[in-house]
């Protein structure tokens, strides 16, 4: 209704269903209070699109509710709008409505995103089967390192990172790029999927529990960026830090063995790297992350908890 | 997907469209920080349902994003859940998904609500026509007085309100009851509608501007509760305070003269009071609120502005 009414109208094409998801980002929790406003807008949309992708749903539209600590600052809003426009273009969806409020607290942006999925084709998290291969898109741990670099810029020198490496890591934290081009491949091949937002291990654990199966992550196979490899080599972080760090916004999928080749082919055609990192096992095998020798790693904390420190600040 | 996946699936029945809306409520802005948690939940859903009703959309489901300042307090959450359950039952919709975050700021609840409307039947705010009658549901100004009483309990004695009157006014502020039973009547009879959330005069002004028409509110016809009458009689508030106070969550509708009798009949059958309070005029007539003598009232501030004081606290 042209953003000028009390509601928006959303019509899913015949034969499709609407997938809906909502996620908030809050200054001082999910982004730095002095973050580039364009990155704030980008991330607010990206974290929601990430959920749609993992369900095999094509982004369509979104509603945004934004709370600001005072009267809107024109320059801030202009950068925010530009970042939102860029994210919309990257993810293929448009703003359908929203709400603006003043808050005595920090800036907070809540987006509800709508995606379209052919009827009966949504990819659930509870339908992984014993014997499925476990795949993840992109690389894992970069966002956690980007956050660490923002907190402690000296880490860059300590770990011998060049400017490009720093920019890759910080970019993954502040402007995540969930793999929107992977949607068709997930819909076609995945038996189950979810996005990696709270840490690979924690989210894999959730997927296995929802599916009532066991499973293993083969940690040496988890894909890392060159920058992440450099940080680990310089003892700036451990592998466990990376696989429990959170904010990856990549797609974790279980693929039946008969579909694995097709999944790899469709992903390659879409320009998205996917890597086999483990397998689904019987529930009795439990859930584990194993090293090259097959020995389970001891992991004290599997990922991000909304009610534990640390904040980003 | 049973609240256990990344997204919810929403399917609108064939021949219908989905109306979607989002609104946040924030402690210290929209509710008192020490408010009954059940009332917080109720209001969070009610303010969204109010938007659906005004569009002629039947509430179906909602997503909720809640930000809490610390680890959830069990007793608080239990009361919150009970209030949400009561509101769901009253408004006929269910929780389809959501998100929980920690915040360094105040408690904030953002709901995105989904309603169903037959294809092409949504009631817009931009389609009022010259000659239409203006109707409002319920009574106006009670919530503003409820807020005033919460701020200054002495007002009760000053204005000679009995306990029941106080409870009516405070209840309208903390547990608004948008007229869900009026949906069919609005869909059948209204040329345009919106909900009254930021003050009757401000919202009427918006409706007229969106429709490119003028219009008048006949202030003596604006329906007041017995409690509001008592406060005005005791000089505890002016009529202008009431028609600019905000948070009424009633339905403001324009009804073609040929439909007015039917609208009144359908509303009565649904048990919802509706009152004719003005008319739509040519744009050249402007937008006014007139007294019994037909003289326009001077109104300095037409309603609630998200970026002006006062907060509720």
């Amino acid at each position: 209704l042209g953003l000028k009414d009390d509601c928006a109208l959303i019509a899913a094409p015949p034969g499709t269903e609407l997938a809906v998801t909502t996620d908030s980002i809050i200054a001082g929790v999910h982004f730095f209070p002095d973050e580039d406003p364009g990155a704030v807008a980008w991330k607010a949309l990206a974290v929601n699109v990430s959920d749609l992708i993992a369900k095999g749903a094509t982004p369509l539209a979104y509603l945004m509710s934004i709370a600001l600590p005072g009267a809107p600052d024109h320059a801030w809003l202009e950068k925010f709008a530009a970042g939102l426009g860029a994210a919309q273009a990257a993810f293929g969806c448009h703003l359908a409505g929203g709400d603006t409020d003043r808050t005595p607290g920090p800036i907070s942006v809540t987006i509800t995103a709508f995606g379209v999925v052919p009827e009966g084709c949504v990819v659930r998290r509870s339908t992984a089967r014993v014997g499925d291969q476990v795949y993840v898109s992109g690389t894992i741990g970069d966002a956690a390192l980007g956050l660490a670099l923002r907190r402690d810029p000296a880490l860059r020198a300590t770990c011998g990172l060049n400017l490009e490496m720093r920019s890759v890591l910080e970019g993954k934290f502040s402007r995540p790029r969930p793999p929107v081009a992977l949607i068709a491949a997930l819909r076609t091949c995945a038996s189950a999927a979810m996005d990696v937002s709270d840490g690979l291990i924690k989210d894999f654990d959730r997927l296995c529990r929802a599916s009532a199966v066991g499973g293993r992550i083969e940690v040496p196979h988890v894909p890392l960026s060159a920058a992440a490899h450099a940080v680990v080599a310089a003892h700036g972080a451990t592998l466990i830090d990376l696989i429990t760090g959170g904010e990856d916004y990549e797609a974790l999928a279980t693929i039946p063995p008969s579909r694995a080749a097709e999944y790899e082919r469709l992903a390659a055609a879409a320009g998205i790297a996917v890597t086999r990192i483990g397998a689904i096992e019987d529930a009795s095998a439990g859930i584990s992350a194993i090293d090259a020798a097959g020995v389970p790693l001891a992991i004290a904390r599997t990922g991000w908890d909304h009610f534990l420190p640390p904040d980003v600040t």
Side-chain angles (χ1 to χ4, degrees), chain A:
Chain A
L1 305 181
L3 302 180
K4 287 180 174 165
D5 214 306
D6 307 74
C7 291
L9 280 185
I10 307 259
T16 68
E17 293 175 297
L18 219 46
V20 296
T21 184
T22 189
D23 262 312
S24 301
I25 64 169
I26 301 169
V29 182
H30 305 89
F31 62 91
F32 287 92
D34 64 350
E35 181 64 277
D36 167 18
V40 174
W42 178 287
K43 188 166 184 173
L45 189 55
V47 302
N48 280 282
V49 165
S50 181
D51 283 321
L52 294 180
I53 292 169
K55 303 296 101 186
T58 304
L60 174 69
Y62 65 99
L63 304 180
M64 180 174 65
S65 183
I66 179 165
L68 298 168
D73 172 85
H74 188 263
W76 193 93
L77 284 178
E78 206 158 78
K79 287 180 195 162
F80 184 87
L84 205 54
Q88 288 189 171
F91 303 134
C93 54
H94 66 276
L95 180 67
D99 176 38
T100 309
D101 288 293
R102 184 169 39 94
T103 175
I107 294 175
S108 139
V109 186
T110 302
I111 281 182
T112 299
F114 303 85
V116 168
V117 63
E119 225 167 276
C121 292
V122 72
V123 183
R124 297 167 191 250
R125 85 161 62 154
S126 57
T127 43
R129 285 170 301 222
V130 176
D132 287 348
Q133 304 295 302
V134 177
Y135 280 81
V136 75
S137 64
T139 53
I140 293 295
D142 297 324
L145 295 178
L147 170 58
L149 278 168
R150 288 285 292 267
R151 283 197 180 122
D152 176 15
L155 199 61
R156 191 192 135 206
T158 320
C159 297
L161 300 180
N162 61 32
L163 278 173
E164 195 199 325
M165 286 169 162
R166 183 185 70 178
S167 149
V168 164
L169 298 178
E170 291 191 356
K172 286 280 287 212
F173 173 71
S174 59
R175 291 188 190 247
R177 294 193 160 268
V180 71
L182 196 61
I183 293 169
L186 286 164
R187 214 187 267 160
T188 307
C189 303
S191 58
M194 66 182 292
D195 79 324
V196 183
S197 56
D198 292 340
L200 175 64
I201 298 303
K202 184 165 190 162
D203 288 327
F204 179 66
D205 184 87
R206 285 174 172 155
L207 185 145
C208 289
R209 283 173 199 274
S211 299
V213 295
R216 62 170 191 275
I217 297 291
E218 298 154 11
V219 176
H221 294 152
V222 173
L224 303 185
S225 67
H229 273 299
V231 174
V232 172
H235 304 291
T238 66
L239 276 177
I240 288 177
D241 292 337
L242 304 187
I243 62 177
T244 62
E247 304 242 51
D248 296 295
Y249 302 110
E250 296 291 351
L252 177 69
T254 61
I255 311 287
S258 62
R259 287 281 171 81
E262 187 182 5
Y263 185 62
E264 294 187 10
R265 187 176 55 73
L266 290 173
I272 304 289
V274 297
T275 308
R276 189 198 154 281
I277 58 168
I280 297 298
E281 301 175 324
D282 190 81
S284 62
I287 300 162
S288 60
I290 58 174
D291 69 14
V295 178
L297 301 176
I299 297 179
R301 190 176 150 218
T302 57
W304 170 267
D305 186 302
H306 291 290
F307 293 102
L308 283 177
D311 284 357
V312 297
T313 45

